[in-house]
PDB file of all heavy atoms in Angstrom:
ATOM      1  N   LEU A 732     149.921 113.186  98.808  1.00 82.00           N
ATOM      2  CA  LEU A 732     150.770 114.045  97.973  1.00 82.00           C
ATOM      3  C   LEU A 732     151.642 114.933  98.847  1.00 82.00           C
ATOM      4  O   LEU A 732     152.740 115.339  98.463  1.00 82.00           O
ATOM      5  CB  LEU A 732     149.857 114.916  97.107  1.00 82.00           C
ATOM      6  CG  LEU A 732     150.434 115.462  95.825  1.00 82.00           C
ATOM      7  CD1 LEU A 732     150.847 114.338  94.895  1.00 82.00           C
ATOM      8  CD2 LEU A 732     149.401 116.341  95.126  1.00 82.00           C
ATOM      9  N   PRO A 864     147.070 120.525 114.761  1.00 32.00           N
ATOM     10  CA  PRO A 864     145.796 120.395 114.066  1.00 32.00           C
ATOM     11  C   PRO A 864     145.897 119.314 113.004  1.00 32.00           C
ATOM     12  O   PRO A 864     145.755 119.607 111.832  1.00 32.00           O
ATOM     13  CB  PRO A 864     145.642 121.762 113.401  1.00 32.00           C
ATOM     14  CG  PRO A 864     147.085 122.119 113.065  1.00 32.00           C
ATOM     15  CD  PRO A 864     147.995 121.316 113.968  1.00 32.00           C
ATOM     16  N   ASP A 904     141.114 108.846 106.402  1.00 63.00           N
ATOM     17  CA  ASP A 904     142.063 109.917 106.132  1.00 63.00           C
ATOM     18  C   ASP A 904     143.497 109.375 106.157  1.00 63.00           C
ATOM     19  O   ASP A 904     143.872 108.650 107.068  1.00 63.00           O
ATOM     20  CB  ASP A 904     141.901 111.047 107.157  1.00 63.00           C
ATOM     21  CG  ASP A 904     140.639 111.860 106.895  1.00 63.00           C
ATOM     22  OD1 ASP A 904     139.610 111.248 106.579  1.00 63.00           O
ATOM     23  OD2 ASP A 904     140.684 113.084 107.000  1.00 63.00           O
ATOM     24  N   SER A 983     132.300 102.340 105.828  1.00 85.00           N
ATOM     25  CA  SER A 983     130.984 102.995 105.897  1.00 85.00           C
ATOM     26  C   SER A 983     130.706 103.532 107.297  1.00 85.00           C
ATOM     27  O   SER A 983     130.647 102.782 108.272  1.00 85.00           O
ATOM     28  CB  SER A 983     129.894 101.987 105.506  1.00 85.00           C
ATOM     29  OG  SER A 983     128.640 102.409 105.998  1.00 85.00           O
ATOM     30  N   ASP A 994     123.783  96.997 116.504  1.00 90.00           N
ATOM     31  CA  ASP A 994     122.592  96.875 115.670  1.00 90.00           C
ATOM     32  C   ASP A 994     122.939  95.970 114.486  1.00 90.00           C
ATOM     33  O   ASP A 994     123.761  96.331 113.656  1.00 90.00           O
ATOM     34  CB  ASP A 994     122.219  98.290 115.197  1.00 90.00           C
ATOM     35  CG  ASP A 994     121.105  98.288 114.161  1.00 90.00           C
ATOM     36  OD1 ASP A 994     120.551  97.218 113.867  1.00 90.00           O
ATOM     37  OD2 ASP A 994     120.809  99.379 113.647  1.00 90.00           O
ATOM     38  N   ASN A 996     122.646  95.415 111.478  1.00 88.00           N
ATOM     39  CA  ASN A 996     122.046  96.167 110.394  1.00 88.00           C
ATOM     40  C   ASN A 996     122.606  95.721 109.048  1.00 88.00           C
ATOM     41  O   ASN A 996     123.440  96.401 108.437  1.00 88.00           O
ATOM     42  CB  ASN A 996     122.358  97.642 110.639  1.00 88.00           C
ATOM     43  CG  ASN A 996     121.438  98.540 109.871  1.00 88.00           C
ATOM     44  OD1 ASN A 996     121.166  98.284 108.703  1.00 88.00           O
ATOM     45  ND2 ASN A 996     120.962  99.585 110.508  1.00 88.00           N
ATOM     46  N   ARG A 999     122.834  98.106 105.837  1.00 86.00           N
ATOM     47  CA  ARG A 999     123.950  99.023 105.602  1.00 86.00           C
ATOM     48  C   ARG A 999     125.145  98.296 104.995  1.00 86.00           C
ATOM     49  O   ARG A 999     125.921  98.874 104.243  1.00 86.00           O
ATOM     50  CB  ARG A 999     124.357  99.693 106.906  1.00 86.00           C
ATOM     51  CG  ARG A 999     123.244 100.531 107.492  1.00 86.00           C
ATOM     52  CD  ARG A 999     123.669 101.242 108.757  1.00 86.00           C
ATOM     53  NE  ARG A 999     122.529 101.883 109.389  1.00 86.00           N
ATOM     54  CZ  ARG A 999     122.578 102.484 110.575  1.00 86.00           C
ATOM     55  NH1 ARG A 999     123.712 102.505 111.261  1.00 86.00           N
ATOM     56  NH2 ARG A 999     121.511 103.044 111.075  1.00 86.00           N
ATOM     57  N   GLY A1005     127.051  97.480  97.550  1.00 88.00           N
ATOM     58  CA  GLY A1005     126.447  97.949  96.307  1.00 88.00           C
ATOM     59  C   GLY A1005     127.129  99.173  95.733  1.00 88.00           C
ATOM     60  O   GLY A1005     127.188  99.345  94.520  1.00 88.00           O
ATOM     61  N   GLU A1036     116.765  88.577 116.291  1.00 90.00           N
ATOM     62  CA  GLU A1036     117.550  89.785 116.446  1.00 90.00           C
ATOM     63  C   GLU A1036     118.265  89.862 117.795  1.00 90.00           C
ATOM     64  O   GLU A1036     119.409  90.295 117.889  1.00 90.00           O
ATOM     65  CB  GLU A1036     116.665  91.012 116.249  1.00 90.00           C
ATOM     66  CG  GLU A1036     117.481  92.282 116.204  1.00 90.00           C
ATOM     67  CD  GLU A1036     116.681  93.484 115.744  1.00 90.00           C
ATOM     68  OE1 GLU A1036     115.817  93.327 114.855  1.00 90.00           O
ATOM     69  OE2 GLU A1036     116.923  94.572 116.278  1.00 90.00           O
ATOM     70  N   LYS A1040     122.227  90.558 118.517  1.00 95.00           N
ATOM     71  CA  LYS A1040     122.550  91.722 119.340  1.00 95.00           C
ATOM     72  C   LYS A1040     123.424  91.302 120.533  1.00 95.00           C
ATOM     73  O   LYS A1040     124.393  91.978 120.864  1.00 95.00           O
ATOM     74  CB  LYS A1040     121.245  92.369 119.818  1.00 95.00           C
ATOM     75  CG  LYS A1040     121.422  93.812 120.206  1.00 95.00           C
ATOM     76  CD  LYS A1040     120.079  94.508 120.390  1.00 95.00           C
ATOM     77  CE  LYS A1040     120.326  95.832 121.080  1.00 95.00           C
ATOM     78  NZ  LYS A1040     121.255  96.698 120.341  1.00 95.00           N
ATOM     79  N   ASN A1077     137.880 114.441 118.058  1.00 73.00           N
ATOM     80  CA  ASN A1077     138.245 115.186 116.855  1.00 73.00           C
ATOM     81  C   ASN A1077     137.582 116.542 116.744  1.00 73.00           C
ATOM     82  O   ASN A1077     137.967 117.358 115.915  1.00 73.00           O
ATOM     83  CB  ASN A1077     137.958 114.336 115.625  1.00 73.00           C
ATOM     84  CG  ASN A1077     138.943 113.196 115.547  1.00 73.00           C
ATOM     85  OD1 ASN A1077     140.132 113.412 115.694  1.00 73.00           O
ATOM     86  ND2 ASN A1077     138.450 111.990 115.365  1.00 73.00           N
ATOM     87  N   ARG A1081     140.826 121.415 120.354  1.00 43.00           N
ATOM     88  CA  ARG A1081     141.299 122.759 120.635  1.00 43.00           C
ATOM     89  C   ARG A1081     140.451 123.479 121.679  1.00 43.00           C
ATOM     90  O   ARG A1081     140.860 124.523 122.165  1.00 43.00           O
ATOM     91  CB  ARG A1081     141.203 123.619 119.366  1.00 43.00           C
ATOM     92  CG  ARG A1081     142.302 123.401 118.360  1.00 43.00           C
ATOM     93  CD  ARG A1081     141.929 124.076 117.040  1.00 43.00           C
ATOM     94  NE  ARG A1081     143.013 123.962 116.095  1.00 43.00           N
ATOM     95  CZ  ARG A1081     143.757 124.990 115.699  1.00 43.00           C
ATOM     96  NH1 ARG A1081     143.533 126.190 116.141  1.00 43.00           N
ATOM     97  NH2 ARG A1081     144.731 124.815 114.843  1.00 43.00           N
ATOM     98  N   THR A1082     139.245 122.972 121.905  1.00 34.00           N
ATOM     99  CA  THR A1082     138.308 123.796 122.683  1.00 34.00           C
ATOM    100  C   THR A1082     138.332 123.438 124.158  1.00 34.00           C
ATOM    101  O   THR A1082     138.995 122.499 124.566  1.00 34.00           O
ATOM    102  CB  THR A1082     136.880 123.659 122.128  1.00 34.00           C
ATOM    103  OG1 THR A1082     136.584 122.279 122.014  1.00 34.00           O
ATOM    104  CG2 THR A1082     136.766 124.343 120.810  1.00 34.00           C
TER     105      THR A1082
ATOM    106  N   LEU B 175     124.728  99.323  93.015  1.00 82.00           N
ATOM    107  CA  LEU B 175     124.433  98.108  92.249  1.00 82.00           C
ATOM    108  C   LEU B 175     123.102  97.512  92.680  1.00 82.00           C
ATOM    109  O   LEU B 175     122.407  96.850  91.904  1.00 82.00           O
ATOM    110  CB  LEU B 175     125.564  97.098  92.504  1.00 82.00           C
ATOM    111  CG  LEU B 175     125.806  96.041  91.466  1.00 82.00           C
ATOM    112  CD1 LEU B 175     126.160  96.659  90.132  1.00 82.00           C
ATOM    113  CD2 LEU B 175     126.929  95.120  91.926  1.00 82.00           C
ATOM    114  N   PRO B 307     116.429  99.134 108.709  1.00 32.00           N
ATOM    115  CA  PRO B 307     117.882  99.139 108.919  1.00 32.00           C
ATOM    116  C   PRO B 307     118.579  99.718 107.700  1.00 32.00           C
ATOM    117  O   PRO B 307     119.353  99.035 107.046  1.00 32.00           O
ATOM    118  CB  PRO B 307     118.197  97.662 109.019  1.00 32.00           C
ATOM    119  CG  PRO B 307     117.180  97.038 108.073  1.00 32.00           C
ATOM    120  CD  PRO B 307     116.029  97.999 107.905  1.00 32.00           C
ATOM    121  N   ASP B 347     127.702 107.383 101.994  1.00 64.00           N
ATOM    122  CA  ASP B 347     126.974 106.171 101.640  1.00 64.00           C
ATOM    123  C   ASP B 347     125.912 106.487 100.588  1.00 64.00           C
ATOM    124  O   ASP B 347     125.177 107.454 100.716  1.00 64.00           O
ATOM    125  CB  ASP B 347     126.333 105.553 102.891  1.00 64.00           C
ATOM    126  CG  ASP B 347     127.376 104.878 103.777  1.00 64.00           C
ATOM    127  OD1 ASP B 347     128.460 105.452 103.921  1.00 64.00           O
ATOM    128  OD2 ASP B 347     127.110 103.794 104.292  1.00 64.00           O
ATOM    129  N   SER B 426     135.841 114.314 104.396  1.00 85.00           N
ATOM    130  CA  SER B 426     136.744 113.913 105.477  1.00 85.00           C
ATOM    131  C   SER B 426     136.060 113.989 106.841  1.00 85.00           C
ATOM    132  O   SER B 426     135.610 115.053 107.274  1.00 85.00           O
ATOM    133  CB  SER B 426     137.973 114.831 105.481  1.00 85.00           C
ATOM    134  OG  SER B 426     138.606 114.795 106.750  1.00 85.00           O
ATOM    135  N   ASP B 437     136.856 124.407 114.966  1.00 90.00           N
ATOM    136  CA  ASP B 437     138.309 124.363 115.051  1.00 90.00           C
ATOM    137  C   ASP B 437     138.880 124.701 113.667  1.00 90.00           C
ATOM    138  O   ASP B 437     138.677 123.951 112.721  1.00 90.00           O
ATOM    139  CB  ASP B 437     138.703 122.943 115.480  1.00 90.00           C
ATOM    140  CG  ASP B 437     140.197 122.709 115.443  1.00 90.00           C
ATOM    141  OD1 ASP B 437     140.955 123.654 115.172  1.00 90.00           O
ATOM    142  OD2 ASP B 437     140.601 121.555 115.683  1.00 90.00           O
ATOM    143  N   ASN B 439     140.979 124.111 111.516  1.00 87.00           N
ATOM    144  CA  ASN B 439     142.000 123.088 111.406  1.00 87.00           C
ATOM    145  C   ASN B 439     142.435 122.909 109.958  1.00 87.00           C
ATOM    146  O   ASN B 439     142.069 121.942 109.288  1.00 87.00           O
ATOM    147  CB  ASN B 439     141.413 121.786 111.968  1.00 87.00           C
ATOM    148  CG  ASN B 439     142.490 120.811 112.326  1.00 87.00           C
ATOM    149  OD1 ASN B 439     143.442 120.643 111.571  1.00 87.00           O
ATOM    150  ND2 ASN B 439     142.350 120.170 113.455  1.00 87.00           N
ATOM    151  N   ARG B 442     143.859 119.451 108.474  1.00 86.00           N
ATOM    152  CA  ARG B 442     142.996 118.371 107.987  1.00 86.00           C
ATOM    153  C   ARG B 442     142.514 118.648 106.570  1.00 86.00           C
ATOM    154  O   ARG B 442     142.286 117.729 105.793  1.00 86.00           O
ATOM    155  CB  ARG B 442     141.793 118.213 108.919  1.00 86.00           C
ATOM    156  CG  ARG B 442     142.207 117.817 110.315  1.00 86.00           C
ATOM    157  CD  ARG B 442     141.008 117.610 111.207  1.00 86.00           C
ATOM    158  NE  ARG B 442     141.439 117.444 112.593  1.00 86.00           N
ATOM    159  CZ  ARG B 442     140.607 117.355 113.615  1.00 86.00           C
ATOM    160  NH1 ARG B 442     139.303 117.406 113.422  1.00 86.00           N
ATOM    161  NH2 ARG B 442     141.071 117.209 114.833  1.00 86.00           N
ATOM    162  N   GLU B 479     143.650 132.957 115.849  1.00 90.00           N
ATOM    163  CA  GLU B 479     142.770 131.804 115.931  1.00 90.00           C
ATOM    164  C   GLU B 479     141.396 132.157 116.477  1.00 90.00           C
ATOM    165  O   GLU B 479     140.371 131.650 116.010  1.00 90.00           O
ATOM    166  CB  GLU B 479     143.423 130.719 116.801  1.00 90.00           C
ATOM    167  CG  GLU B 479     142.627 129.430 116.758  1.00 90.00           C
ATOM    168  CD  GLU B 479     143.377 128.257 117.376  1.00 90.00           C
ATOM    169  OE1 GLU B 479     144.608 128.206 117.221  1.00 90.00           O
ATOM    170  OE2 GLU B 479     142.723 127.422 118.007  1.00 90.00           O
ATOM    171  N   LYS B 483     137.753 131.261 114.848  1.00 95.00           N
ATOM    172  CA  LYS B 483     136.845 130.475 115.683  1.00 95.00           C
ATOM    173  C   LYS B 483     135.499 131.194 115.837  1.00 95.00           C
ATOM    174  O   LYS B 483     134.437 130.557 115.743  1.00 95.00           O
ATOM    175  CB  LYS B 483     137.498 130.242 117.051  1.00 95.00           C
ATOM    176  CG  LYS B 483     136.942 129.036 117.760  1.00 95.00           C
ATOM    177  CD  LYS B 483     137.753 128.666 118.981  1.00 95.00           C
ATOM    178  CE  LYS B 483     136.976 127.669 119.815  1.00 95.00           C
ATOM    179  NZ  LYS B 483     136.573 126.476 119.042  1.00 95.00           N
ATOM    180  N   ASN B 520     122.495 107.174 114.252  1.00 73.00           N
ATOM    181  CA  ASN B 520     122.822 105.990 113.478  1.00 73.00           C
ATOM    182  C   ASN B 520     123.241 104.787 114.310  1.00 73.00           C
ATOM    183  O   ASN B 520     123.322 103.678 113.804  1.00 73.00           O
ATOM    184  CB  ASN B 520     123.904 106.333 112.454  1.00 73.00           C
ATOM    185  CG  ASN B 520     123.332 107.208 111.377  1.00 73.00           C
ATOM    186  OD1 ASN B 520     122.267 106.899 110.854  1.00 73.00           O
ATOM    187  ND2 ASN B 520     123.990 108.305 111.086  1.00 73.00           N
ATOM    188  N   ARG B 524     117.886 101.250 116.766  1.00 43.00           N
ATOM    189  CA  ARG B 524     117.148 100.063 117.187  1.00 43.00           C
ATOM    190  C   ARG B 524     117.063  99.917 118.694  1.00 43.00           C
ATOM    191  O   ARG B 524     116.290  99.110 119.189  1.00 43.00           O
ATOM    192  CB  ARG B 524     117.859  98.802 116.685  1.00 43.00           C
ATOM    193  CG  ARG B 524     117.628  98.495 115.234  1.00 43.00           C
ATOM    194  CD  ARG B 524     118.585  97.393 114.808  1.00 43.00           C
ATOM    195  NE  ARG B 524     118.322  96.980 113.437  1.00 43.00           N
ATOM    196  CZ  ARG B 524     117.815  95.800 113.114  1.00 43.00           C
ATOM    197  NH1 ARG B 524     117.529  94.919 114.032  1.00 43.00           N
ATOM    198  NH2 ARG B 524     117.612  95.481 111.860  1.00 43.00           N
ATOM    199  N   THR B 525     117.931 100.605 119.406  1.00 34.00           N
ATOM    200  CA  THR B 525     118.070 100.283 120.825  1.00 34.00           C
ATOM    201  C   THR B 525     117.237 101.204 121.703  1.00 34.00           C
ATOM    202  O   THR B 525     116.610 102.132 121.210  1.00 34.00           O
ATOM    203  CB  THR B 525     119.539 100.378 121.256  1.00 34.00           C
ATOM    204  OG1 THR B 525     120.042 101.637 120.845  1.00 34.00           O
ATOM    205  CG2 THR B 525     120.340  99.275 120.635  1.00 34.00           C
TER     206      THR B 525
END
Side-chain angles (χ1 to χ4, degrees):
Chain A
L732 204 61
D904 286 41
S983 160
D994 172 5
N996 199 317
R999 298 182 188 174
E1036 188 169 323
K1040 202 168 167 58
N1077 289 312
R1081 281 168 176 250
T1082 51
Chain B
L175 204 60
D347 286 41
S426 159
D437 173 5
N439 199 317
R442 297 182 189 174
E479 188 169 324
K483 203 170 167 55
N520 289 313
R524 282 169 175 249
T525 52

